Each structure stands twice: as C-alpha cells, then as structure tokens.
Amino acid sequence: MDEKIIKRALKDSFTKLSFTVQLQNPVMFVVYLSAIVTTGLCGLSIFGIKDASIGFTACISIILWFTILFANFAEALAEGRGKAQADALRNAKRTVTAHKLKNRNDKKIYTDISSINLRKGDIVIVSAGEPIPADGEVIEGVASVDESAITGESAPVIREAGGDRSAVTGGTTVVSDWLVIEVVNEAGESFLDKMIAMVEGASRRKTPNEIALQILLIALTLIFILVTITLYAYADFSAKQLFVENPTSMTALIALLVCLAPTTIGALLSAIGISGMSRLNEANVLAKSGRAIEAAGDVDTLLLDKTGTITLGNRQASSFVPVDDHTERELADAAQIASLPDETPEGRSIVILAKEKFDIRERTLNVLNIEFIPFSARTRLSGVNMNGTEIRKGAADSIKAYVENRGGTYSDECDEAVRKIANVGGTPLVVAKDDSILGVIYLKDIIKSGVKEKFADLRKMGIKTVMITGDNPLTAAAIAAEAGVDDFLAEATPEGKLAMIRELQSKGHMVAMTGDGTNDAPALAQADVAVAMNTGTQAAKDAGNMVDLDSSPTKLIEIVRIGKQLLMTRGSLTTFSIANDLAKYFAIIPALFMSLYPQLGMLNIMGLHSSESAILSAIIYNAVIIVALIPLALRGVAYKEVPAEDLLKHNLLVYGLGGIIVPFIAIKVLDFFIALFV
C-alpha cells in the first residue's frame, strides 16, 4: 500500500467513471446507471417532482456513486502495482549507442548507431561496462552480465555462445569481457517492451473461468432486474386492491436491485485477476496472458526436470566401498589425494567425505609433489602421480583397462560392488593405486531438502508429479522412489516429452512443465502451462506462456500455488457475495412491503427501525464491504495444500456462513446509528 500507488489509484477511480469504462463490467454498469437515475430523481425532487423524500434519495444517490468509486479504486489499486513495476522497467529501457558490425569476422570495424535503429538479424559487439542495446542471441564470446534491471538479482550471470545460456536481454549490462550478439527482435518488440505491456495489464485478457463467472453474474443481475420490476408491479396492484398509495418508490427499488445483485464480486473481479498477475510478477515470473495463470490453478500434472529441481544438480560422494581386502580408510586416503587437485563438485565432495569419516585432512599439493592427471572424455578417468605412485579414479571399464594394462586384475568383488551401486541409481567411481584396485566410491544424486514433503503436499491436492531425466531407467527409478515423485520419464528426448504431454492431455489432464533449451520448445508449446527460463534460448521463451526471470526450475511449484490461490480467492469472494444477498433480502424486502402486508413483519428478524433506515443500512454496507475486501482480493485467500473437498468445506463454512452472519451484524449496527439521526 505505497502512498504513490494509492494517490494514483484515487485519481484513476474518477477517471474510470467514463461510460465506456463502466460498460466493460456489466454488473457495476447496472450500479452506474442506478446512480445516474437516482441523481436524476434527486434533481427532479428539487422541482417538486417527488419519488421519495429528497434526503433519502440524495443519500442513496451519494452511496451508489461511492460504490462505483470503491469498485474503481479496487481495480486501480491492483493496476497500480503493475504500473509501478512498469515505471521501474521503463527506467531500464533507454536508448543507447550500439556498435553494429559490418562483418562478424572483423570485430574492429563497426558503425555506431542508435539502438532504436537496430533491426532483426543485425550483429553488434558489446564490451565490458556497456549496456546490451537489444534482445539477442550470443553468437561469439563469453561474459558476465548484470541483469539486475530485469530480474532484481544483483549477482551477475554468465552468458556464452551456444548451449542454453545464450539469450541476452536489452537493457542489461556486460560486466566483463565482450559478446558478439545477433539481434532477434525489432525495435518496440523487445522483451522489455513486452514486460511493460504485461505488467500494466494491457494485454490481460479474461480467462475462460472469468468469462463464465461474468456470464453467471450478468444472468443473476438480469434475474434481479426482472424480480425488481415484478415486485413493483405486484406492489402497485396490491395497493390498488387495498385502495392505498403504493409505498414503494423508484429509489427504494433501485436500492433493492443494487443490494440483491452480486455487486461485491462484480466490483472485485477485475482486481482479483490483475492481482494474480501482480503476484506472479512479484515472484519474478511474467505471464503472457491471464489464461496461463488460471491454467496453472487447474494443473493436475507437473513435469519436473530432475537436475536442479529435484536434485542439487551435482552428484556427491556418499560412501567408500573397499574391495579385495583393502580397508575403507586406505580407500578414502587414496581417493582424497586423487581428488585434491579436482575442483569439480564431485571431487570436492570426495575430499569432504574423507575428512568427515576419517578426519583425513587436506594436504598441500606442492609438499606432496603431486602431478595432476586431468579427466578427459577419451580416457574417462583422472588422478595424480606422486613420488612414483599412480592413483586413478574413474568409470569402471576405464579403470579395468588401466589396471589390466599394468598387469593387475579386476576382481569379481569390484564388479559386484559396481553393479550394486548402479542398481540403486548411484554412480560407481572406481579407485586404483598402481596395479591394484582399492574400491569404489558411491556417488549419488542428492535430493533437495523438503522436496519429498512438497511432493506429498501436491499429491494431497490431486497433483501428479513426473520426473524427467536423461538417466537410464534403473537410475531414474531409484531417484524417483527416493524423491517421492509419482512417475518418471527416463532417457528423455524432445519426442518423448512431447508424446508424454499429448498422452496426458488426451486423458483430460492439465499439464505444466519447465524448460530452457531449444529441444524443450516443442513440449513447452504443447503444455498447458509452459514456464521458460529467462536464461534459456529464444526458442524456449517464445514457446512458453510464462517466463521465469530467476530461471529457477522449482518456480513451477510456486506458479501452481499462485494459480490455485487466484481460483480460491475468486471462488471464496463469489461465495461471500452471494451469501450476503440473503441478509440484505431480510433487511429490505420486509421493510419495503410491511405497510401492504403486515404479515411480512415476521421476516424483519433484525428488528430494523424503519424502511428507510433498513434500505440505507443495506446500501451503505453494500458499498463499504467492497473497500473492506480489497486487501483480501489483492493478497489472495490463505493457500492450503489440502484436497479439493476439504477446500470446498472450508470455503462454505468461512465465506458462505460468514457471508450470511457478517451483513446481519453490520446492517443492524448501521441501522442503530442511522435511527439516531432520523
């Protein structure tokens, strides 16, 4: 609730009073017309043409205008958060000088032009300290890039030619080295331009569920219009039969219509939808449409990449398995020495495990007189030469060949240890010293903390989790069992991912997945909710209907939570709004017709003072409740990972029963204070 946002929202509340803006919300448009009519009736009263007392008509008119303003304020406040973020993005979007290469092979010959004159396909070079002038793909070079203007993350990221981290965004800054970039978007169509449009809500279209709810609200409003007209005709007929004046005024009937129509949810519906996009923006996710957020709320199947999402991304040493009468400490000591120069995550984990299990301290490489033998794809092993001793670690077949070439033997015991580790989804790393095999290091994928519990929560909500991995089926099955996912796709290929999504969708499932590579693009384009990583290729970002600026694969779970929270908020407030009508019915109907039908006094269970005080109390409550519910509409209802039937019970109890009780109390309190001044 920033002061600047509130001031802008207050101003926009009056701007939105225009006829064309109000026409976009049919329910509130009825209130808008009602306010105009009562204002006209108030004006006629001045000239002696009375519908009801001028004070009563004036009060109803003023309250109806405030009802419209409150609804406008709710929508403007939701939009204000997006506009504030758009202002920040505009500050990042600036015209800069671009170094356009005449020949990509000669980086010293370039022409300086304005970034707004760049076209798709142009090649530019950007050096350290310079802003990237346009969206593009890195075609040469590797550099650190500051993307804080886009993502808010201060740590620079690496961008390089080839692979899945080649996309760069205009407005970011090269921190070190240089990049040759091919422009992929025309001026005005950059990712930053699209972001500004999306966060302002300019491209937010109503989703199917939102349209369906809007149709329901319109239908209810039309029904209540017919009911109100019928009530007036019936009251007029009854008054003539009793030879009395018709006690129902046009002002009272308009108040009745406004109170019975679902104005609360009608006023907050746009705010709920816009705030859903805003909450995604706060999570650093950009949705290309409101439809994508709502689809996230309906998702029942999540396709999750194993590496970086379910596991930490690097295999780590878990245990030492000695063979051929060697001791575990002997194996650990040799493995640590072989890993001292190895700066890979796996190598460092071996050093740490040896230290933790046997208190074997790291030693200085130059003191040990070590010659490091780096890993290569050809030999598939690494190690050290130390004072005439050779220690090697690597794949089983590579170490077997190495030992046998030196006259040693590869025992059945070692083969059995390798097989057991592979069967449980681990990676066996065999260690040899000269011509003797010492044992096997068990490397395993480390499941992220809390992931298994999170998947259990998703299962309670009826969401199936599927792990996607390039591992063999045996390894994939072991990791899937440990992580607690429901299913897995092993040895995944682009065709395999696409086929799985299509098969799930053919069975009626709503599928969500993440991806960052060009090979993910077909599956992303097919998925109902497709989250592309900002660090990924342009093809992936184009195929997805959401972009995660943080490039975190686990963000998919948060997106589903926000989508479900949006649907829960809309459902809860709809329940509350309709339940409110019951209390307002008991407030106004008896008050309006008691003079014609005294028996209706039995329905005046709140004991309201008079017909005018009852109507004023109900119409004031109808306006004030909109303001009271704005924070809930913007924040969303509390999200709980429970089955749908439990959510329904909670919804009916809190917002259904609460929607009946709250207006009874509020209208009675308002009636008490109004009676003091009547």
Side-chain angles (χ1 to χ4, degrees), residues 320-338 350 354 358 360 363 389 391 431-434 436-441:
F320 298 110
V321 183
V323 298
D324 302 338
D325 297 326
H326 293 286
T327 66
E328 188 178 356
R329 183 182 180 88
E330 185 183 359
L331 170 60
D333 185 59
Q336 191 199 59
I337 292 173
I350 293 170
F358 299 104
I360 301 174
R363 285 148 285 192
T389 299
I391 302 174
V431 179
K433 187 175 183 179
D434 293 327
S436 175
I437 291 178
L438 303 181
V440 186
I441 304 169

Side-chain angles (χ1 to χ4, degrees), residues 341-463:
D342 185 355
E343 293 299 329
T344 65
E346 290 84 357
R348 302 314 302 161
S349 73
I350 293 170
V351 173
I352 292 169
L353 182 64
K355 180 180 177 181
E356 289 177 347
K357 292 199 73 170
F358 299 104
D359 199 28
I360 301 174
R361 300 288 171 176
E362 292 187 42
R363 285 148 285 192
T364 307
L365 297 179
N366 55 6
V367 172
L368 292 175
N369 193 26
I370 283 178
E371 177 193 356
F372 179 47
I373 309 300
F375 175 86
S376 75
R378 184 178 61 83
T379 63
R380 296 176 63 212
L381 53 79
S382 65
V384 295
N385 296 335
M386 181 183 67
N387 300 323
T389 299
E390 295 183 6
I391 302 174
R392 298 290 185 270
K393 59 184 174 74
D397 55 348
S398 298
I399 294 295
K400 179 181 180 181
Y402 172 81
V403 171
E404 289 176 347
N405 285 338
R406 295 176 61 87
T409 58
Y410 184 84
S411 67
D412 291 339
E413 186 181 352
C414 181
D415 192 53
E416 178 67 14
V418 168
R419 188 181 61 79
K420 284 183 178 179
I421 291 172
N423 284 347
V424 294
T427 299
L429 199 64
V430 180
V431 179
K433 187 175 183 179
D434 293 327
D435 60 354
S436 175
I437 291 178
L438 303 181
V440 186
I441 304 169
Y442 176 13
L443 295 178
K444 64 177 293 187
D445 281 300
I446 304 300
I447 305 297
K448 286 185 175 181
S449 176
V451 164
K452 191 168 186 176
E453 292 76 12
K454 183 62 66 179
F455 290 155
D457 289 338
L458 291 171
R459 197 172 296 111
K460 289 178 186 176
M461 298 163 55
I463 296 177

Side-chain angles (χ1 to χ4, degrees), residues 536-590:
T537 60
Q538 191 64 37
K541 289 197 278 190
D542 288 342
N545 51 24
M546 292 187 186
V547 178
D548 176 18
L549 300 180
D550 293 332
S551 300
S552 168
T554 56
K555 193 70 71 68
L556 186 57
I557 296 173
E558 188 173 351
I559 290 168
V560 170
R561 181 183 291 110
I562 291 172
K564 287 193 175 295
Q565 187 183 37
L566 172 66
L567 295 179
M568 286 167 57
T569 302
R570 190 185 297 157
S572 298
L573 292 184
T574 301
T575 303
F576 185 85
S577 177
I578 294 174
N580 270 210
D581 291 342
L582 182 60
K584 289 182 279 187
Y585 172 86
F586 279 101
I588 296 182
I589 296 292

Side-chain angles (χ1 to χ4, degrees), residues 193-275:
D193 291 313
K194 293 174 184 175
M195 283 175 66
I196 292 170
M198 283 189 281
V199 299
E200 283 188 314
S203 61
R204 194 191 83 87
R205 297 181 181 179
K206 286 184 171 62
T207 61
N209 273 344
E210 195 173 351
I211 293 170
L213 181 56
Q214 192 79 272
I215 292 170
L216 172 64
L217 298 182
I218 293 170
L220 287 174
T221 303
L222 290 173
I223 289 169
F224 286 125
I225 289 173
L226 293 173
V227 167
T228 304
I229 294 171
T230 304
L231 283 174
Y232 178 78
Y234 191 71
D236 189 60
F237 173 78
S238 299
K240 289 177 180 177
Q241 293 296 311
L242 297 172
F243 302 102
V244 295
E245 185 179 349
N246 188 345
T248 55
S249 64
M250 182 70 70
T251 302
L253 287 169
I254 287 174
L256 172 65
L257 170 62
V258 171
C259 284
L260 294 185
T263 51
T264 306
I265 185 62
L268 297 173
L269 192 58
S270 294
I272 294 169
I274 294 168
S275 65

Side-chain angles (χ1 to χ4, degrees), residues 179-202:
L179 296 172
V180 175
I181 300 166
E182 181 179 353
V183 177
V184 296
N185 286 320
E186 299 287 350
E189 297 178 1
S190 70
F191 184 59
L192 208 53
D193 291 313
K194 293 174 184 175
M195 283 175 66
I196 292 170
M198 283 189 281
V199 299
E200 283 188 314

